[in-house]
Amino acid sequence: MDPALGPPDAMAEKRDELTPMMRQYHDLCARYDEAIVLFQVGDFYETFCGAAERSARLLEIALTSREDSTGEYPMAGIPIDNAESYIEELLEAGYRVAVADQVEEPGETSGVVERAVTRIVTPGTLTEDELLASDDNNFVAAIARGRGTDTRPAADELALALLDVSTGDFLATSSASDEAIADEVSRFGPAEAVVGPDAPADVLPEECMVTPFDDRVFARDRAGETVSSYFGDPDALLASDAEIRACGALLAYAEYARGGEHEGERGDGTERDDAVNSPVAAGKNEGNRLEYLTHLTRYDPREYLLLDAVALRSLELFEPRAVRGREDATLVGVLDETACALGGRKLRDWLRRPLLEPRRIEARHDAVEELTGSVQTREHCHELLRDVYDLERLIGRISRERANARDLRSLRDTLAVVPDLRDQLADADCDRLTALRDELDPLADVRDLIDDAIVADPPIEITEGGIVAEGYDADLDDLRGTARDGKQWIDDLEARERERTGIDSLKVGYNSVHGYYIEVTNPNLDAVPENYQRRQTLKNSERFVTPELKEREDEIVGAEERADEREYELFCDVRRTVADEVKRVQRLADALATLDALVSLATAAAQYDYCRPEILDREAADGGLEIDIEGGRHPVVERTQESFVPNGARLSPERRLAVITGPNMSGKSTYMRQVAQIVLLAQVGSFVPARAARLTPVDRIFTRVGASDDIAGGRSTFMVEMDELATILRDADERSLVLLDEVGRGTSTADGLAIAQAITEHLHDEVGATTLFATHHHPLTELADDLPAAFTLHFAVDQTDGEVVFHHEIEPGAATGSYGVEVATAAGVPEAVVDRSRELVDQPASSSPSDAQQQDQYADGGELPADVAAELRALDVGHLTPVDALTELDRLQRLLEE
Ligand code: ADP
Ligand code: MG
C-alpha cells in the first residue's frame, strides 16, 4: 500500500490517544483511503506522515512537523488560496484528492472544529475550470457485465457508461463483444473508470485510472433505483441489465465524488452503518444529487463509424502520429476553427463518432454548404460565437451552487448574443440551419431576471454584498437607504462640529477597530464639548465619539450587515431560479455548439478548398463500398508542407483490393491514410480535401501498420501484428475499409510473404472488405493479377544524375523492382556494397539482406533436409490461415533445428 494513502501507521497504533484533531485526520484517512486527504487547518490544507512526505517531494513544499503529547508527525501544507494548482500536480502524479474542509466556524464550537470531505477530486470527475481542457470533454467511465434476470435473457453483455461531470454529457452503450467495448473506450478516452465486480478491467487503456468503488452500487436493483431517480424507468431507457448497472454505479460514483459524505454539514446526524470502505451508504446521497444531469443518451456502437484504437491513432484524429510531430498536425488541428469551447467539444465529438446514415450526413453537408457560400454569415456567426461562454459548465456550476455572480453575468452576456445569431440565420434555407435557428432560445426571462437582479460588474465574493442591483428588492433598497442616510449624516458631521466647536482642524474619520471617531488635535482639546467621549489617545491628538455618532454607526453597520445577508439570499434565489432552467440552457448550449461546429467546418472547407462529397445510398454498391475520389489530398500532410500532389482513388465491389508498391518515401502510407481520412471526414459531415468525391458510408475502418513501422509504439513483436490481423480477418466485412501498411515485415521475408499472401487471399475471397495494402512484397502484385477484384497501384520514382526524384503520383500497375538499392546509391552508400545488394536482389526468391546468408546456404536446396523441403513444397500456401501459417512455420523451423 502506498504510504501516502490510508491512515498513517504512526497514528493507527494509538488512535484512541490522539488529540481530537489528529483523530479526525486519522479517521478521514481511513474512510477515504483511496485518496490523499487535504485537511484544513486555518488557511492551509495540511497532510501528515506518509502523505506529507510524498506531497513535500511532489509539490516542492516544506516538510515540517507537528508535535503533541502523543508524538511528532511529519507535516506539509499548501495554502488554500492556491490549492488548485497543487491539486492538479497531485492528480498528475496519479493520486486522487479528498478535500476535508472545516465545516463550522472555529468560534462556534467549544471542542475541535468539525471537518468533512466536501469534494473528492479525481482525474475523471473534475469540475474546476482551472483543471479542465476547455475544448474537450473529460469522461469518467463505468463498465459492468450483465447478468440476466428472470425477465431478461442472461445475455453476457459488457456495458460502458460515460459521464462528463463538468458538462452533464452522459452516454451508455453495450455489446456482446469485449473488444467492441474496448474500441468505444478508446474513442472517448476516459480519464478514470470504476469497474463492476465481474467486469474485465483490461478493456481500459493503461492511461485510464481505475478507481476501486463499492461493488454494491453495481447491483441490478440498486443501480436501477439510482438511474430511475434521475431519468425515470431504466428499462425504458437502457437496453440491458449491464447498461443499468454501469449507469447506476457511475451516478453513485459521481455523487460520491461530488461531495464526499458531509452529513456533518447537512447536520442530519444519521449514524452510518458502514463507516469505512464503503463510500456510499444506500440512498443517502440526496444532498449530492447532480441536478444538471438531465439526459442519458443510449447508443449502439453500430450507429457510428467504428474506429478502433489503432485506427484513431494512425488516422491522426486527435494526436500527431510522429513522436516529434507538430501539435496541430492532426485532423482536429486542421478542422478546428471553432469560436467557443462548446463548439470545440462538439467538433471533437463529431470526429470521434462519424455518422453512417446518409440522411444525417447530408443534413450536415447541406448546412456546411450553405455556410461556405456566405462569407458574411459565417464570419458574423464566428464573431458572435466568440462571446459565448462555456454554458454547459456554467449551468453545471450554477446547479451545483458553485457559481458566483460573475458566472450569472457571463450567462447573461451569452444570452445577449443569441438574438443576433438568430438574425444571422434569418434567411437560412436548409433544414439543419432553420432548425438550429428555432433551437436558439434567447431565454429572455432568464436574461431579464439576471439583468434586473445582478449588477453589471459584480465582485467574485458572494457574501460581501455589492451584487444585487438597485431597485430589485424593496427591503434591500431600504437597508441600503438607511446605511446611505447614516453615512451622509456622518459626512456632514465634520462641518457641523467644526462650526459648533470652532475647531477648524476637527476631523471625522473611521478605522476598522474603533469605528467612527472625531479627532481633535492636542492644542484644541480645551474646546471639546461635553458630550464627547474619549476613545483613543494618539501622540498629537485625541479621538472621541458621541452617543449620537455611536448610534448612527450601529445603525449603519446593522443595516449593512443585514443588506449583505439579504443580498446573499437574493443571489441564491436568483441562482436557484436560473438552475431550474437547466434543460433550456442545455438545449441552447447544444444549439450554439452545433452552429459553431458547422461554421468551423465551413470555414475550413472554404479556407482549404474542400469539396462537398456525394454520399451514396447504402444499397448503391450492392452492399459493398464505392469510393470514388478525384484529386484527393491528405488533409494533415498538405498543411505541413509546401506543395502536395493530389491523387485519386477508385474502389468498388469489382475493384476492392489494391496492392500498392513503390520505394520508401514515395507516398504509400500517405495515400492510404488520405483515402481513409477523406471517407471519415465525409461521414463526420465535413467537406473533403479533393476535387470531387462519391462515397458509400463505411461501417468500420481498420488500419494496421507493420511492426517495423511502429517502433515508436514499442510493439515490435510479430505476434502482436498477427494478433491484430486476426481481429481484422474475423471482424471485417464488405462494408469495412481496411488499410494494411507493410504488414508481415516483422519476420523473415519468406514467412512474411507467405502470410501477406494468405491474408490478401482471405480478405479477397472471404471477407470482401475494401482493402488498401501497401507492401514491399512484390510477388503480391502477381497475386493481385490472379484475383478478380484485386488490382495494383504503384508510386514511381525517377533517377536523374544519381538523384532520386519522388513524384508522389499514384499510377496503375506494379512498381518495377525495389528502389531501395537506388536510394542507397543516391545516399552515398559505397559502390561495392551497392553492387553486392544488386546481386542479392537479382537472386530468384526476393529477400532482404539480413536473410542473405540463409539464402545462400539453402540456395539450391542442397543443405535443406529432404523431409523439410518436401513438406514445404507440399504446403498449400494459398489456403493457409495466418495462424496455420505460423504454426506450420514454427514446426518446420523445429524440424530444421533437429
Ligand atoms: P511511404 O509510405 O511510401 O514510405 P510516405 O507516405 O510515408 O511514403 O511519404 C513520405 C513523405 O513524402 C511524406 O512524409 C510526405 O512528406 C511526402 N509525400 C507523400 N505523399 C505526398 C504527396 N502526394 N504530395 C507531396 N508529398 C507527399
Ligand atoms: Mg510507409
Side-chain angles (χ1 to χ4, degrees), residues 27-78:
D27 291 355
L28 285 172
C29 287
R31 188 186 289 181
Y32 297 94
D33 63 357
E34 293 301 331
I36 288 190
V37 173
L38 297 183
F39 189 75
Q40 186 186 2
V41 180
D43 294 335
F44 280 81
Y45 285 130
E46 300 289 358
T47 53
F48 298 96
C49 301
E53 280 155 10
R54 181 61 52 87
S55 348
R57 217 166 336 138
L58 278 175
L59 308 176
E60 297 176 25
I61 51 176
L63 183 66
T64 58
S65 66
R66 183 183 178 96
E67 204 178 342
D68 61 34
S69 58
T70 68
E72 186 175 345
Y73 307 100
M75 173 171 94
I78 58 176

Short mmCIF file of all heavy atoms in Angstrom, two decimals, residues 27-78:
data_model
loop_
_atom_site.label_atom_id
_atom_site.label_comp_id
_atom_site.label_asym_id
_atom_site.label_seq_id
_atom_site.Cartn_x
_atom_site.Cartn_y
_atom_site.Cartn_z
N ASP A 27 -9.17 9.37 11.06
CA ASP A 27 -10.42 8.72 10.65
C ASP A 27 -10.80 9.06 9.21
O ASP A 27 -11.29 8.21 8.47
CB ASP A 27 -11.55 9.10 11.61
CG ASP A 27 -11.34 8.48 13.00
OD1 ASP A 27 -10.36 7.71 13.15
OD2 ASP A 27 -12.12 8.79 13.91
N LEU A 28 -10.55 10.32 8.85
CA LEU A 28 -10.85 10.69 7.45
C LEU A 28 -9.94 9.92 6.49
O LEU A 28 -10.38 9.46 5.44
CB LEU A 28 -10.69 12.20 7.25
CG LEU A 28 -11.82 13.05 7.83
CD1 LEU A 28 -11.47 14.53 7.76
CD2 LEU A 28 -13.14 12.78 7.09
N CYS A 29 -8.68 9.76 6.89
CA CYS A 29 -7.76 8.99 6.03
C CYS A 29 -8.23 7.54 5.92
O CYS A 29 -8.08 6.91 4.88
CB CYS A 29 -6.35 9.01 6.59
SG CYS A 29 -5.53 10.59 6.38
N ALA A 30 -8.80 7.03 7.00
CA ALA A 30 -9.27 5.65 6.97
C ALA A 30 -10.49 5.54 6.08
O ALA A 30 -10.63 4.59 5.30
CB ALA A 30 -9.59 5.18 8.39
N ARG A 31 -11.35 6.53 6.15
CA ARG A 31 -12.56 6.44 5.35
C ARG A 31 -12.29 6.69 3.87
O ARG A 31 -12.84 6.03 3.01
CB ARG A 31 -13.59 7.45 5.85
CG ARG A 31 -14.92 7.23 5.14
CD ARG A 31 -15.94 8.27 5.47
NE ARG A 31 -16.44 8.17 6.83
CZ ARG A 31 -17.37 8.99 7.30
NH1 ARG A 31 -17.88 9.92 6.55
NH2 ARG A 31 -17.79 8.87 8.53
N TYR A 32 -11.41 7.64 3.60
CA TYR A 32 -11.08 7.95 2.19
C TYR A 32 -9.70 7.40 1.88
O TYR A 32 -8.78 8.13 1.55
CB TYR A 32 -11.16 9.45 1.96
CG TYR A 32 -12.57 9.97 2.17
CD1 TYR A 32 -12.97 10.47 3.40
CD2 TYR A 32 -13.51 9.88 1.14
CE1 TYR A 32 -14.28 10.89 3.60
CE2 TYR A 32 -14.81 10.30 1.34
CZ TYR A 32 -15.19 10.81 2.56
OH TYR A 32 -16.48 11.22 2.76
N ASP A 33 -9.58 6.08 2.00
CA ASP A 33 -8.22 5.54 1.93
C ASP A 33 -7.72 5.36 0.50
O ASP A 33 -6.65 4.83 0.27
CB ASP A 33 -8.11 4.24 2.72
CG ASP A 33 -9.00 3.16 2.15
OD1 ASP A 33 -9.74 3.44 1.19
OD2 ASP A 33 -8.96 2.03 2.66
N GLU A 34 -8.51 5.80 -0.49
CA GLU A 34 -8.01 5.77 -1.86
C GLU A 34 -7.44 7.11 -2.27
O GLU A 34 -7.01 7.29 -3.40
CB GLU A 34 -9.17 5.43 -2.82
CG GLU A 34 -9.69 4.03 -2.67
CD GLU A 34 -8.60 2.99 -2.90
OE1 GLU A 34 -7.68 3.29 -3.69
OE2 GLU A 34 -8.66 1.93 -2.28
N ALA A 35 -7.52 8.09 -1.36
CA ALA A 35 -7.16 9.45 -1.76
C ALA A 35 -6.19 10.05 -0.75
O ALA A 35 -6.12 9.63 0.41
CB ALA A 35 -8.42 10.30 -1.84
N ILE A 36 -5.45 11.04 -1.21
CA ILE A 36 -4.68 11.85 -0.28
C ILE A 36 -5.66 12.84 0.34
O ILE A 36 -6.38 13.54 -0.37
CB ILE A 36 -3.54 12.60 -1.00
CG1 ILE A 36 -2.45 11.61 -1.39
CG2 ILE A 36 -3.00 13.72 -0.13
CD1 ILE A 36 -1.17 12.25 -1.89
N VAL A 37 -5.71 12.87 1.68
CA VAL A 37 -6.65 13.76 2.35
C VAL A 37 -5.97 15.10 2.60
O VAL A 37 -4.90 15.16 3.20
CB VAL A 37 -7.12 13.14 3.68
CG1 VAL A 37 -7.96 14.14 4.46
CG2 VAL A 37 -7.89 11.85 3.42
N LEU A 38 -6.58 16.17 2.08
CA LEU A 38 -6.10 17.52 2.39
C LEU A 38 -6.97 18.06 3.51
O LEU A 38 -8.17 18.21 3.37
CB LEU A 38 -6.21 18.43 1.15
CG LEU A 38 -5.36 18.04 -0.05
CD1 LEU A 38 -5.53 19.08 -1.17
CD2 LEU A 38 -3.89 17.92 0.33
N PHE A 39 -6.34 18.36 4.62
CA PHE A 39 -7.04 18.57 5.87
C PHE A 39 -6.92 20.03 6.26
O PHE A 39 -5.81 20.52 6.52
CB PHE A 39 -6.35 17.65 6.90
CG PHE A 39 -7.01 17.54 8.22
CD1 PHE A 39 -8.16 16.76 8.37
CD2 PHE A 39 -6.46 18.15 9.34
CE1 PHE A 39 -8.75 16.62 9.63
CE2 PHE A 39 -7.05 18.01 10.58
CZ PHE A 39 -8.20 17.24 10.72
N GLN A 40 -8.05 20.73 6.26
CA GLN A 40 -7.97 22.16 6.52
C GLN A 40 -7.60 22.48 7.96
O GLN A 40 -8.24 22.00 8.90
CB GLN A 40 -9.30 22.86 6.20
CG GLN A 40 -9.14 24.39 6.34
CD GLN A 40 -10.45 25.15 6.18
OE1 GLN A 40 -11.51 24.57 6.00
NE2 GLN A 40 -10.36 26.48 6.27
N VAL A 41 -6.53 23.26 8.10
CA VAL A 41 -6.21 23.83 9.40
C VAL A 41 -6.02 25.32 9.14
O VAL A 41 -5.00 25.73 8.58
CB VAL A 41 -4.92 23.20 9.98
CG1 VAL A 41 -4.61 23.82 11.34
CG2 VAL A 41 -5.05 21.70 10.08
N GLY A 42 -7.04 26.10 9.46
CA GLY A 42 -6.97 27.54 9.19
C GLY A 42 -6.87 27.83 7.71
O GLY A 42 -7.71 27.38 6.93
N ASP A 43 -5.81 28.54 7.32
CA ASP A 43 -5.66 28.94 5.92
C ASP A 43 -4.93 27.91 5.08
O ASP A 43 -4.61 28.16 3.93
CB ASP A 43 -4.89 30.27 5.84
CG ASP A 43 -5.69 31.40 6.47
OD1 ASP A 43 -6.93 31.28 6.51
OD2 ASP A 43 -5.07 32.38 6.92
N PHE A 44 -4.63 26.76 5.66
CA PHE A 44 -3.86 25.76 4.94
C PHE A 44 -4.60 24.43 4.85
O PHE A 44 -5.45 24.12 5.67
CB PHE A 44 -2.52 25.52 5.67
CG PHE A 44 -1.50 26.57 5.35
CD1 PHE A 44 -1.53 27.79 6.02
CD2 PHE A 44 -0.53 26.36 4.39
CE1 PHE A 44 -0.60 28.77 5.73
CE2 PHE A 44 0.40 27.33 4.09
CZ PHE A 44 0.36 28.54 4.77
N TYR A 45 -4.25 23.68 3.81
CA TYR A 45 -4.59 22.27 3.80
C TYR A 45 -3.34 21.52 4.21
O TYR A 45 -2.30 21.63 3.56
CB TYR A 45 -5.00 21.82 2.39
CG TYR A 45 -6.38 22.28 1.97
CD1 TYR A 45 -6.58 22.91 0.75
CD2 TYR A 45 -7.49 22.06 2.80
CE1 TYR A 45 -7.84 23.33 0.35
CE2 TYR A 45 -8.75 22.48 2.41
CZ TYR A 45 -8.92 23.11 1.19
OH TYR A 45 -10.17 23.51 0.81
N GLU A 46 -3.44 20.74 5.28
CA GLU A 46 -2.27 20.02 5.76
C GLU A 46 -2.35 18.54 5.39
O GLU A 46 -3.44 17.98 5.23
CB GLU A 46 -2.17 20.13 7.30
CG GLU A 46 -2.05 21.55 7.82
CD GLU A 46 -0.70 22.20 7.52
OE1 GLU A 46 0.18 21.54 6.92
OE2 GLU A 46 -0.54 23.39 7.87
N THR A 47 -1.17 17.95 5.24
CA THR A 47 -1.08 16.50 5.15
C THR A 47 -0.08 16.07 6.21
O THR A 47 0.77 16.86 6.62
CB THR A 47 -0.56 16.06 3.77
OG1 THR A 47 0.67 16.75 3.51
CG2 THR A 47 -1.55 16.38 2.66
N PHE A 48 -0.20 14.82 6.65
CA PHE A 48 0.70 14.36 7.71
C PHE A 48 1.35 13.03 7.32
O PHE A 48 0.84 12.31 6.45
CB PHE A 48 -0.08 14.17 9.02
CG PHE A 48 -0.68 15.45 9.54
CD1 PHE A 48 -2.01 15.77 9.26
CD2 PHE A 48 0.09 16.34 10.27
CE1 PHE A 48 -2.56 16.95 9.72
CE2 PHE A 48 -0.46 17.53 10.73
CZ PHE A 48 -1.78 17.84 10.46
N CYS A 49 2.44 12.75 7.99
CA CYS A 49 3.14 11.45 7.89
C CYS A 49 3.47 11.11 6.43
O CYS A 49 4.00 11.94 5.72
CB CYS A 49 2.32 10.36 8.57
SG CYS A 49 2.04 10.71 10.31
N GLY A 50 3.13 9.90 5.99
CA GLY A 50 3.50 9.46 4.64
C GLY A 50 2.99 10.41 3.57
O GLY A 50 3.69 10.72 2.60
N ALA A 51 1.76 10.88 3.75
CA ALA A 51 1.19 11.80 2.77
C ALA A 51 1.97 13.10 2.73
O ALA A 51 2.16 13.71 1.68
CB ALA A 51 -0.28 12.07 3.09
N ALA A 52 2.46 13.53 3.91
CA ALA A 52 3.23 14.77 3.98
C ALA A 52 4.56 14.59 3.26
O ALA A 52 5.00 15.45 2.49
CB ALA A 52 3.46 15.17 5.43
N GLU A 53 5.21 13.45 3.52
CA GLU A 53 6.50 13.22 2.88
C GLU A 53 6.34 13.18 1.36
O GLU A 53 7.13 13.76 0.62
CB GLU A 53 7.12 11.92 3.41
CG GLU A 53 7.79 12.15 4.75
CD GLU A 53 7.89 10.90 5.61
OE1 GLU A 53 7.61 9.79 5.10
OE2 GLU A 53 8.25 11.05 6.80
N ARG A 54 5.30 12.49 0.90
CA ARG A 54 5.08 12.40 -0.53
C ARG A 54 4.75 13.77 -1.13
O ARG A 54 5.32 14.18 -2.12
CB ARG A 54 3.95 11.40 -0.81
CG ARG A 54 3.63 11.19 -2.28
CD ARG A 54 4.81 10.64 -3.06
NE ARG A 54 5.40 9.45 -2.45
CZ ARG A 54 4.97 8.22 -2.67
NH1 ARG A 54 4.00 8.01 -3.50
NH2 ARG A 54 5.53 7.19 -2.08
N SER A 55 3.84 14.51 -0.50
CA SER A 55 3.46 15.81 -1.09
C SER A 55 4.61 16.79 -1.06
O SER A 55 4.78 17.59 -1.97
CB SER A 55 2.24 16.46 -0.42
OG SER A 55 1.58 15.61 0.42
N ALA A 56 5.41 16.74 0.01
CA ALA A 56 6.53 17.67 0.08
C ALA A 56 7.44 17.47 -1.13
O ALA A 56 7.88 18.43 -1.77
CB ALA A 56 7.32 17.46 1.36
N ARG A 57 7.67 16.19 -1.48
CA ARG A 57 8.56 15.93 -2.60
C ARG A 57 7.90 16.29 -3.93
O ARG A 57 8.47 16.95 -4.77
CB ARG A 57 8.96 14.46 -2.61
CG ARG A 57 10.41 14.27 -3.03
CD ARG A 57 10.91 12.88 -2.71
NE ARG A 57 10.13 12.30 -1.63
CZ ARG A 57 9.70 11.04 -1.61
NH1 ARG A 57 9.96 10.25 -2.58
NH2 ARG A 57 9.00 10.57 -0.59
N LEU A 58 6.64 15.86 -4.08
CA LEU A 58 5.95 16.12 -5.35
C LEU A 58 5.71 17.59 -5.60
O LEU A 58 5.82 18.07 -6.72
CB LEU A 58 4.58 15.42 -5.33
CG LEU A 58 4.54 13.94 -5.66
CD1 LEU A 58 3.13 13.42 -5.47
CD2 LEU A 58 5.00 13.74 -7.10
N LEU A 59 5.34 18.30 -4.56
CA LEU A 59 4.88 19.68 -4.74
C LEU A 59 5.96 20.69 -4.41
O LEU A 59 5.75 21.89 -4.51
CB LEU A 59 3.65 19.95 -3.86
CG LEU A 59 2.51 18.95 -3.98
CD1 LEU A 59 1.40 19.27 -2.99
CD2 LEU A 59 1.96 18.96 -5.40
N GLU A 60 7.13 20.18 -3.99
CA GLU A 60 8.23 21.06 -3.58
C GLU A 60 7.76 22.06 -2.54
O GLU A 60 7.92 23.27 -2.69
CB GLU A 60 8.84 21.74 -4.81
CG GLU A 60 9.46 20.74 -5.75
CD GLU A 60 9.99 21.37 -7.02
OE1 GLU A 60 10.31 22.57 -6.99
OE2 GLU A 60 10.08 20.65 -8.03
N ILE A 61 7.17 21.52 -1.49
CA ILE A 61 6.77 22.38 -0.38
C ILE A 61 7.53 21.91 0.86
O ILE A 61 8.06 20.80 0.88
CB ILE A 61 5.24 22.32 -0.11
CG1 ILE A 61 4.77 20.86 0.02
CG2 ILE A 61 4.47 23.03 -1.20
CD1 ILE A 61 3.31 20.72 0.39
N ALA A 62 7.59 22.79 1.86
CA ALA A 62 8.40 22.48 3.03
C ALA A 62 7.80 21.34 3.84
O ALA A 62 6.59 21.27 4.05
CB ALA A 62 8.53 23.72 3.90
N LEU A 63 8.67 20.45 4.29
CA LEU A 63 8.24 19.37 5.18
C LEU A 63 8.59 19.80 6.59
O LEU A 63 9.75 19.99 6.92
CB LEU A 63 8.98 18.07 4.82
CG LEU A 63 8.58 16.84 5.62
CD1 LEU A 63 7.15 16.43 5.34
CD2 LEU A 63 9.52 15.68 5.31
N THR A 64 7.56 20.01 7.40
CA THR A 64 7.81 20.39 8.79
C THR A 64 7.26 19.28 9.66
O THR A 64 7.14 18.15 9.20
CB THR A 64 7.11 21.72 9.12
OG1 THR A 64 5.71 21.56 8.88
CG2 THR A 64 7.65 22.85 8.27
N SER A 65 6.96 19.59 10.90
CA SER A 65 6.34 18.53 11.69
C SER A 65 5.45 19.16 12.75
O SER A 65 5.54 20.36 13.03
CB SER A 65 7.40 17.65 12.33
OG SER A 65 8.12 18.41 13.27
N ARG A 66 4.58 18.35 13.28
CA ARG A 66 3.68 18.81 14.32
C ARG A 66 3.89 17.90 15.52
O ARG A 66 3.87 16.68 15.40
CB ARG A 66 2.25 18.70 13.82
CG ARG A 66 1.26 19.22 14.82
CD ARG A 66 -0.16 19.04 14.32
NE ARG A 66 -1.09 19.50 15.34
CZ ARG A 66 -1.63 20.71 15.35
NH1 ARG A 66 -1.36 21.57 14.39
NH2 ARG A 66 -2.45 21.06 16.32
N GLU A 67 4.08 18.52 16.64
CA GLU A 67 4.39 17.74 17.83
C GLU A 67 3.28 17.93 18.85
O GLU A 67 2.80 19.04 19.05
CB GLU A 67 5.73 18.21 18.40
CG GLU A 67 6.39 17.14 19.22
CD GLU A 67 7.75 17.59 19.75
OE1 GLU A 67 8.32 18.56 19.22
OE2 GLU A 67 8.22 16.95 20.70
N ASP A 68 2.84 16.85 19.43
CA ASP A 68 1.96 16.99 20.58
C ASP A 68 2.32 15.89 21.58
O ASP A 68 3.32 15.19 21.40
CB ASP A 68 0.49 16.95 20.15
CG ASP A 68 0.11 15.66 19.47
OD1 ASP A 68 0.67 14.60 19.85
OD2 ASP A 68 -0.73 15.69 18.55
N SER A 69 1.51 15.72 22.60
CA SER A 69 1.89 14.80 23.66
C SER A 69 1.99 13.35 23.16
O SER A 69 2.62 12.52 23.78
CB SER A 69 0.87 14.89 24.79
OG SER A 69 -0.41 14.60 24.25
N THR A 70 1.36 13.07 22.02
CA THR A 70 1.37 11.68 21.56
C THR A 70 2.53 11.38 20.61
O THR A 70 2.74 10.24 20.22
CB THR A 70 0.06 11.34 20.82
OG1 THR A 70 0.02 12.08 19.60
CG2 THR A 70 -1.15 11.67 21.66
N GLY A 71 3.22 12.42 20.18
CA GLY A 71 4.36 12.16 19.30
C GLY A 71 4.59 13.30 18.33
O GLY A 71 3.95 14.35 18.41
N GLU A 72 5.52 13.04 17.40
CA GLU A 72 5.85 14.06 16.41
C GLU A 72 5.51 13.51 15.03
O GLU A 72 5.89 12.37 14.70
CB GLU A 72 7.34 14.40 16.50
CG GLU A 72 7.72 15.55 15.60
CD GLU A 72 9.18 15.97 15.78
OE1 GLU A 72 9.80 15.56 16.78
OE2 GLU A 72 9.66 16.69 14.91
N TYR A 73 4.76 14.30 14.25
CA TYR A 73 4.31 13.81 12.95
C TYR A 73 4.79 14.72 11.83
O TYR A 73 4.59 15.94 11.92
CB TYR A 73 2.78 13.73 12.92
CG TYR A 73 2.22 12.94 14.08
CD1 TYR A 73 1.70 13.60 15.20
CD2 TYR A 73 2.24 11.55 14.06
CE1 TYR A 73 1.21 12.88 16.28
CE2 TYR A 73 1.75 10.83 15.14
CZ TYR A 73 1.24 11.50 16.25
OH TYR A 73 0.77 10.78 17.31
N PRO A 74 5.40 14.16 10.79
CA PRO A 74 5.77 14.99 9.64
C PRO A 74 4.52 15.68 9.10
O PRO A 74 3.42 15.10 9.12
CB PRO A 74 6.30 13.98 8.62
CG PRO A 74 6.65 12.77 9.40
CD PRO A 74 5.73 12.74 10.59
N MET A 75 4.71 16.92 8.63
CA MET A 75 3.55 17.69 8.18
C MET A 75 3.97 18.55 6.98
O MET A 75 5.08 19.08 6.94
CB MET A 75 3.08 18.59 9.33
CG MET A 75 1.99 19.56 8.95
SD MET A 75 1.32 20.38 10.43
CE MET A 75 2.30 21.87 10.46
N ALA A 76 3.09 18.65 6.00
CA ALA A 76 3.33 19.55 4.88
C ALA A 76 2.01 20.15 4.47
O ALA A 76 1.01 19.45 4.37
CB ALA A 76 3.96 18.80 3.70
N GLY A 77 2.01 21.46 4.25
CA GLY A 77 0.74 22.13 3.95
C GLY A 77 0.80 22.99 2.71
O GLY A 77 1.87 23.44 2.30
N ILE A 78 -0.37 23.18 2.12
CA ILE A 78 -0.45 24.08 0.97
C ILE A 78 -1.47 25.17 1.29
O ILE A 78 -2.48 24.90 1.95
CB ILE A 78 -0.88 23.34 -0.32
CG1 ILE A 78 -2.21 22.65 -0.12
CG2 ILE A 78 0.18 22.33 -0.73
CD1 ILE A 78 -2.74 21.98 -1.38
#
